[in-house]
Each structure stands twice: as structure tokens, then as C-alpha cells.
């Protein structure tokens, strides 16, 4: 019989020793929990429960009755504090803020200190418990529980059950696989059954709070066995992040199933509540398609397609304890910016279409007008061959006028075609000698009656082809305006073309650079506007003295 009694006592001591070791060693593992409040609450729970288990060791050890009662009193104080740590942990882990509310904290501390005072002063008033000794199943102090004890115990269990409710509510709302985690949490509450059973004489259990054993199992379970489920399940990120941002947020687990969403998401995607827990690819295929493509713009049409909204979609991996637990799909409303972008794109397309029309217009000018000039030129040539038969002076002058008009029309057609094609746009520039440019085209462009003189040779950085065209235009003007000499000079960033013809009348200077005005004469009407266009393409200005 003595051996059996010692074996039973050894089982009790060994059980609480293992519970204390499990809790205290598990504290180091808590650092892997990323949420600070959850980490703080779980650490406090394990430390206090480890100390509580140590007091039980003293309670069932072969000590004197006074020693066992002292351990029992310490256990009462620490055990009540463990309830507070449990509630703190449950509130933080399930994403609530009860543990942060000042009035709850102050009230809890006040109630705790009041109950501790009653417990510690029991030797004086004797209203909380009384003690006797027994040798069954081994020698230990038997605690007789009075009314105040039952009130405090009932109050403590009621508070602890609130924590269980918060956790099981979270597990019930979770779409992840949490069955194993649920079993571990349920195991935590199982020792309560042992305590209630110990109150009867038929159970064979001594009257103790067996909760430290349950919390030890909880510590080992959530931190070593189902740590992935434990890390992936909490929704602290929901109350602290998702509902506090303005964007639309849909959260999926690592397998692509819809786990959660915020209020803005439910407003944008109707019926989102019904698809929670189902694959994103089946429930919101348009959103899944956007996340898998390079196009990040999601288009949402309103009723009857009257309103269209655009959202920029980003996909971020969610991790917990170095484990990928899902994806956060964030949709930012960019309707205004996207509408502006699309409007700009539409205008660019219209501009490209107009440019294409201008190219077609230039081709039409080149083809139709030059064909007409070719036909007219043919008849003019026929008249010229018969010119000897024309005896009047006026007839000969008419033929010459027609020839000059044809030449001028040819130049106009060329200028219009180039202008329509926007060919007066600067290309690659190079450092060129002014003299070199003039000499390169002199024999092909300068009329025999016009003397071109360069009084200052300089180098200029130009588009060679365009600057050559500018020079040719100046020569044409000098020739048509009756000049005998064209002098080209340069000074401090200015190139000048000077003619010895009559000055341009002051009253027509305002119109010389406008297309459509025959200024200063019908023959020279397009030359100055063309010259200004070429100059501006280089970033220069042009003026007339």
C-alpha cells in the first residue's frame, strides 16, 4: 500500500514538473509569433502557468502542512493572474482590442488586487478556505472550500470561457483547415473536468486545479505541433490593417481560396459573402485573371454599363513565422487617372489618324497637282514649238508668264507637300561650315543673275538638310524680289541674309510669316513662312530688318 501511495504521489509531482518545464521552455518559441500583443499575452500565460505548476509541486510534495498551505496560497494568487494572461492572449490573438481598453485594464487590476487581498488574509478571517490533513491517496493537506472561494472560482471560469469563446468563434469563421488547432484548444479546457470530478469522493482525485496541465498541452500543441495552423489562423491583421485602409482588399490562403475581405470589397463585388471559402479562380475569375497577367487594370462596369470604374490591382504575399500563408489582393481606385490616360490615348490615336490623313493629303497634292501641271506643261511645250508663228509681242510675253507661273506652282506644290508631311522637323545635327553648305548647292540652286557672297565664315550646329533648304529659300526670295546680290554673314549667334533689292514695305511686314498671305508679293508668298518653320525646328527665331 505504501508503494502505491508513493507511486500516486510521484505521478502528481511528475505531471506538474513536466507541465512547468513545458511552459517555461516554450517561452523561447513564442518569439516566432509576429504580432507583439499576441506574443506578450502568450509569454505571460506560459510564465505564470509554469509558476502555477511549480506551486502544485509544493502542494503535493511530502512537506509539512504549513509548507503545503503556503504553496497553496501562492498558487491562488498566480492562478488568478493566469486567467488575466489568458484573456489578454485570446483578445490579441483573435484580433480584438479588449486588452488595450484602459477601463478594462483598470477594472481588472482592481478586481484582481481585491481578490488577492481576500485570499492572503484568509488565515485571519477564514472565510475563503479551511484545511485538514489526510493520508489518502498520500499524505497531503485537504482544502475545504468556503462560499467566497466558490464565487471567485465561478467568476474565474466565466472569464476563462470568454477567451475560449473568442478563439472558437475565430476558428469557426476561418476558411483554413483548423481542425487540429481546435482539438488543441479544446484539450486546454479538459482539466476543468478533472477539477470538478475531484470535488466528489468517488473520483479518487485529490482536490486541485488541474488547469496547468491543460495549458502545458496547449503550449506544446500550438508552438510545436500545429504551429503552422496557429500562425496562419489569427486575424489581427484584419482589424488592424484591412478595415483601416481605403482600398479594396481580398485575402486568399496559399491555395487560392478566399479567406477574408473588407467592407469596400463587399461593396465592389456583390455576393462576396457567398463565395468566401471557395477558390478565387471560380468566384472572381476577372480578379484572378488580372493577378496572373501583366495588365494590372481591372475594369468594373456598373448597372447597364452606365458607369465604369478602373482599379489598379497589386498582389502581395502574406507570411507568418517565415511561412507563406496567403495573398492580399489590393485594388486601388484609379478611375480618374485611367480615364485621363484613355482620353489621352484616344487623342493620340486621333492625332495619328490626322497625320495619316495629312500624309495622304500630301500624296494627293503631289500626285494630282503635279499631274495637272504636267498636262499643262505639255500643252505649253506645244505652244512654244509653234512660237515662231506667233507674230505679236504680247503672245510671246504670255507664254513666258505661263512658264514662270508653272515654275512657281511647282515650288508651291513641293513646299505644301513637305509641310503636310511635317518634313520640316529637325533630325540629327552636325557641326557644319557655312561656306561648305553654300558651295555644295551653289551650282544647282543659285541663278546666274544672282551673286552670292559670304563675308564671314562660321560653323553652325544644324540639321544639314534643313539648313540647306533654308538657304535655298533665301536664294529664291532674293531672285524673285529682284536682287543682284545676296550677302551671308554671321555675328554672335545670328546668321543674316542681306539683299540689295528694294526694302519690303513696312505696312506688310506683319504678314510675311503667315501662310496664305501673298506677302510681300504673290511670287514670294510662301517663302518666308517656310523659312520660319525651318528656323523654329532648330529652336531659333527669325526676323526681318
Amino acid at each position: 500500500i505504501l508503494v502505491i501511495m508513493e507511486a500516486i504521489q510521484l505521478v502528481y509531482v511528475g505531471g506538474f514538473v513536466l507541465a512547468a518545464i513545458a511552459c517555461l521552455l516554450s517561452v523561447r518559441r513564442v518569439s516566432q509569433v509576429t504580432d507583439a500583443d499576441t506574443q506578450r499575452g502568450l509569454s505571460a500565460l506560459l510564465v505564470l502557468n509554469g509558476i502555477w505548476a511549480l506551486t502544485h509541486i509544493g502542494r503535493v510534495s511530502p512537506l509539512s502542512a504549513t509548507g503545503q498551505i503556503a504553496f497553496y496560497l501562492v498558487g491562488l494568487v498566480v492562478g488568478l493572474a493566469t486567467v488575466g494572461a489568458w484573456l489578454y492572449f485570446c483578445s490579441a490573438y483573435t484580433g480584438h482590442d479588449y486588452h488595450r481598453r484602459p477601463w478594462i485594464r483598470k477594472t481588472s487590476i482592481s478586481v484582481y488586487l481585491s481578490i488577492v487581498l481576500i485570499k492572503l488574509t484568509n488565515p485571519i478571517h477564514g472565510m475563503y478556505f479551511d484545511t485538514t490533513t489526510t493520508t489518502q491517496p498520500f499524505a497531503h493537506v485537504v482544502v475545504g472550500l468556503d462560499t467566497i472561494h466558490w464565487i471567485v472560482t465561478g467568476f474565474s471560469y466565466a472569464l476563462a470561457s470568454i477567451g475560449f469563446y473568442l478563439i472558437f468563434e475565430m476558428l469557426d469563421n476561418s476558411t483554413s483547415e483548423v481542425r487540429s488547432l481546435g482539438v488543441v484548444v479544446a484539450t486546454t479546457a479538459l482539466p476543468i473536468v478533472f477539477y470538478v470530478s475531484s470535488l466528489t469522493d468517488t473520483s479518487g482525485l485529490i482536490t486541485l486545479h488541474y488547469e496547468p496541465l491543460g495549458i502545458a498541452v496547449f503550449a506544446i500543441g500550438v508552438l510545436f505541433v500545429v504551429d503552422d495552423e496557429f500562425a496562419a489562423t489569427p486575424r489581427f491583421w484584419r482589424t488592424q490593417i484591412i478595415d483601416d485602409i481605403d482600398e479594396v482588399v481580398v485575402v486568399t490562403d496559399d491555395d487560392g481560396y478566399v479567406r477574408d475581405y473588407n467592407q469596400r470589397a463587399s461593396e465592389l463585388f456583390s455576393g462576396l459573402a457567398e463565395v468566401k471559402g471557395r477558390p478565387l479562380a471560380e468566384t472572381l475569375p476577372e480578379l484572378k485573371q488580372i493577378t496572373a497577367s501583366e495588365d494590372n487594370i481591372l475594369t468594373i462596369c456598373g448597372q447597364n454599363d452606365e458607369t465604369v470604374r478602373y482599379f489598379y490591382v497589386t498582389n502581395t504575399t502574406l507570411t507568418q513565422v517565415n511561412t507563406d500563408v496567403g495573398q492580399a489582393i489590393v485594388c486601388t481606385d484609379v478611375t480618374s487617372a485611367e480615364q485621363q490616360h484613355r482620353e489621352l490615348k484616344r487623342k493620340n490615336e486621333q492625332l495619328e489618324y490626322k497625320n495619316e490623313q495629312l500624309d495622304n493629303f500630301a500624296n494627293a497634292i503631289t500626285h494630282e497637282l503635279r499631274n495637272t501641271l504636267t498636262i499643262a506643261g505639255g500643252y505649253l511645250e506645244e505652244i512654244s514649238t509653234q512660237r515662231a508663228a506667233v507674230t505679236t509681242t504680247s503672245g510671246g510675253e504670255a507664254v513666258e508668264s505661263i512658264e514662270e507661273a508653272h515654275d512657281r506652282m511647282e515650288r508651291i506644290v513641293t513646299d505644301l507637300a513637305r509641310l503636310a508631311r511635317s518634313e520640316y522637323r529637325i533630325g540629327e545635327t552636325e557641326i557644319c561650315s557655312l561656306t561648305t553648305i553654300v558651295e555644295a548647292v551653289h551650282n544647282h540652286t543659285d541663278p546666274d543673275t544672282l551673286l552670292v557672297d559670304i563675308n564671314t565664315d562660321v560653323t553652325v550646329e544644324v540639321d544639314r538638310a534643313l539648313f540647306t533648304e533654308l538657304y535655298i529659300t533665301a536664294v529664291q526670295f532674293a531672285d524673285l524680289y529682284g536682287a543682284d546680290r545676296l550677302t551671308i554673314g554671321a555675328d554672335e549667334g545670328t546668321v543674316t541674309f542681306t539683299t540689295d533689292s528694294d526694302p519690303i514695305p513696312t505696312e506688310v511686314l506683319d504678314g510675311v510669316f503667315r501662310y496664305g498671305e501673298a506677302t510681300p508679293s504673290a511670287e514670294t508668298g510662301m517663302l518666308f513662312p517656310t523659312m520660319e518653320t525651318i528656323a523654329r525646328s532648330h529652336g531659333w527665331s527669325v526676323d526681318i530688318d
Side-chain angles (χ1 to χ4, degrees):
I1 295 175
L2 183 61
V3 172
I4 295 175
M5 293 174 60
E6 291 178 349
I8 294 175
Q9 187 176 30
L10 184 61
V11 169
Y12 274 91
V13 172
F16 288 110
V17 167
L18 292 176
I21 294 174
C23 289
L24 296 178
L25 290 182
S26 297
V27 173
R28 297 182 59 185
R29 184 86 171 181
V30 177
S31 60
Q32 298 187 34
V33 178
T34 56
D35 179 52
D37 284 358
T38 302
Q39 185 182 115
R40 189 179 300 112
L42 185 57
S43 297
L45 175 65
L46 298 182
V47 170
L48 289 172
N49 189 73
I51 298 174
W52 195 13
L54 292 176
T55 65
H56 281 59
I57 297 173
R59 175 81 168 76
V60 296
S61 296
L63 302 176
S64 64
T66 303
Q68 291 187 7
I69 293 174
F71 274 106
Y72 178 71
L73 283 174
V74 175
L76 289 178
V77 174
V78 177
L80 185 61
T82 305
V83 176
W86 165 255
L87 290 174
Y88 187 102
F89 159 74
C90 292
S91 174
Y93 181 65
T94 58
H96 295 89
D97 65 344
Y98 303 123
H99 59 290
R100 288 179 171 270
R101 298 183 184 181
W103 73 269
I104 293 181
R105 287 184 173 186
K106 294 178 180 179
T107 302
S108 300
I109 293 175
S110 299
V111 172
Y112 173 76
L113 293 178
S114 299
I115 295 176
V116 167
L117 180 62
I118 295 175
K119 291 181 176 182
L120 295 180
T121 56
N122 183 76
I124 300 175
H125 55 71
M127 299 175 61
Y128 197 86
F129 66 88
D130 55 53
T131 60
T132 58
T133 59
T134 183
T135 58
Q136 298 298 326
F138 53 85
H140 66 281
V141 173
V142 177
V143 178
L145 306 176
D146 292 330
T147 303
I148 297 180
H149 177 279
W150 290 115
I151 295 175
V152 173
T153 300
F155 178 67
S156 299
Y157 283 158
L159 291 178
S161 64
I162 294 176
F164 282 104
Y165 171 79
L166 294 177
I167 291 182
F168 280 108
E169 179 192 36
M170 179 192 66
L171 296 179
D172 183 60
N173 291 330
S174 175
T175 57
S176 302
E177 177 55 50
V178 292
R179 186 177 305 172
S180 299
L181 180 59
V183 172
V184 170
V185 175
T187 304
T188 307
L190 188 61
I192 297 176
V193 177
F194 297 155
Y195 173 72
V196 175
S197 299
S198 69
L199 299 176
T200 64
D201 295 333
T202 59
S203 65
L205 299 173
I206 66 174
T207 303
L208 284 174
H209 284 285
Y210 293 88
E211 288 82 353
L213 301 177
I215 296 178
V217 172
F218 176 80
I220 297 297
V222 300
L223 294 178
F224 295 93
V225 181
V226 295
D227 52 327
D228 288 343
E229 287 185 25
F230 176 72
T233 305
R235 60 188 184 93
F236 65 87
W237 36 263
R238 173 180 174 85
T239 55
Q240 295 180 5
I241 300 176
I242 293 184
D243 284 337
D244 291 338
I245 61 178
D246 295 330
E247 283 76 10
V248 172
V249 180
V250 176
V251 178
T252 66
D253 60 20
D254 202 36
D255 295 324
Y257 286 76
V258 178
R259 278 187 54 194
D260 216 332
Y261 53 87
N262 62 359
Q263 179 63 30
R264 295 164 189 82
S266 63
E267 295 171 356
L268 181 64
F269 302 109
S270 58
L272 191 58
E274 288 74 17
V275 305
K276 187 175 180 181
R278 295 169 56 189
L280 180 68
E282 297 179 6
T283 56
L284 297 173
E286 68 278 12
L287 189 58
K288 177 63 177 179
Q289 183 178 1
I290 288 294
T291 58
S293 67
E294 296 181 356
D295 184 9
N296 295 326
I297 300 299
L298 174 65
T299 303
I300 301 294
C301 298
Q303 295 182 350
N304 302 323
D305 295 339
E306 293 180 356
T307 58
V308 179
R309 298 172 67 188
Y310 301 97
F311 293 85
Y312 182 79
V313 181
T314 56
N315 193 14
T316 304
T317 300
L318 298 177
T319 60
Q320 187 85 7
V321 195
N322 301 321
T323 302
D324 292 345
V325 297
Q327 305 287 329
I329 303 172
V330 181
C331 306
T332 304
D333 195 333
V334 293
T335 301
S336 178
E338 183 65 17
Q339 287 175 341
Q340 293 177 5
H341 170 72
R342 292 177 181 246
E343 179 65 18
L344 180 60
K345 182 179 179 181
R346 184 184 65 82
K347 290 183 178 180
N348 286 339
E349 291 175 349
Q350 290 179 343
L351 182 59
E352 291 177 359
Y353 176 71
K354 289 181 179 179
N355 287 338
E356 183 180 354
Q357 286 183 316
L358 285 175
D359 286 339
N360 294 335
F361 171 64
N363 292 332
I365 290 175
T366 304
H367 184 269
E368 298 297 335
L369 293 184
R370 282 183 173 166
N371 281 352
T372 303
L373 286 175
T374 300
I375 295 173
Y379 285 111
L380 179 61
E381 184 177 356
E382 183 178 349
I383 293 174
S384 297
T385 58
Q386 301 173 3
R387 187 172 178 179
V390 179
T391 57
T392 62
T393 302
S394 60
E397 293 176 350
V399 171
E400 291 178 357
S401 296
I402 293 174
E403 290 177 342
E404 292 176 357
H406 275 211
D407 291 340
R408 185 162 58 86
M409 289 181 66
E410 180 71 21
R411 291 195 302 270
I412 292 173
V413 168
T414 300
D415 288 342
L416 284 175
R418 294 189 63 176
L419 180 64
R421 292 193 182 100
S422 300
E423 289 186 5
Y424 293 129
R425 290 179 295 185
I426 189 171
E428 294 184 1
T429 61
E430 56 182 305
I431 303 297
C432 302
S433 167
L434 195 59
T435 302
T436 302
I437 294 176
V438 172
E439 290 178 348
V441 296
H442 174 74
N443 295 330
H444 304 288
T445 60
D446 296 357
D448 295 336
T449 58
L450 182 67
L451 177 62
V452 177
D453 181 27
I454 302 177
N455 62 10
T456 304
D457 186 25
V458 296
T459 56
V460 288
E461 183 179 358
V462 294
D463 181 319
R464 188 185 186 95
L466 284 183
F467 191 81
T468 300
E469 188 72 25
L470 187 148
Y471 165 71
I472 293 173
T473 304
V475 170
Q476 290 175 350
F477 170 77
D479 181 51
L480 292 173
Y481 210 57
D484 296 322
R485 177 185 294 270
L486 174 64
T487 303
I488 304 174
D491 181 39
E492 296 182 357
T494 301
V495 177
T496 61
F497 297 87
T498 306
T499 69
D500 59 356
S501 59
D502 295 332
I504 299 174
T506 305
E507 61 271 13
V508 301
L509 284 178
D510 291 340
V512 294
F513 293 117
R514 289 197 291 266
Y515 283 105
E517 295 193 15
T519 304
S521 66
E523 291 81 0
T524 63
M526 291 189 61
L527 297 180
F528 278 128
T530 299
M531 188 180 297
E532 183 188 43
T533 300
I534 297 174
R536 285 187 173 179
S537 70
H538 284 80
W540 304 339
S541 62
V542 60
D543 197 5
I544 295 178
D545 180 4

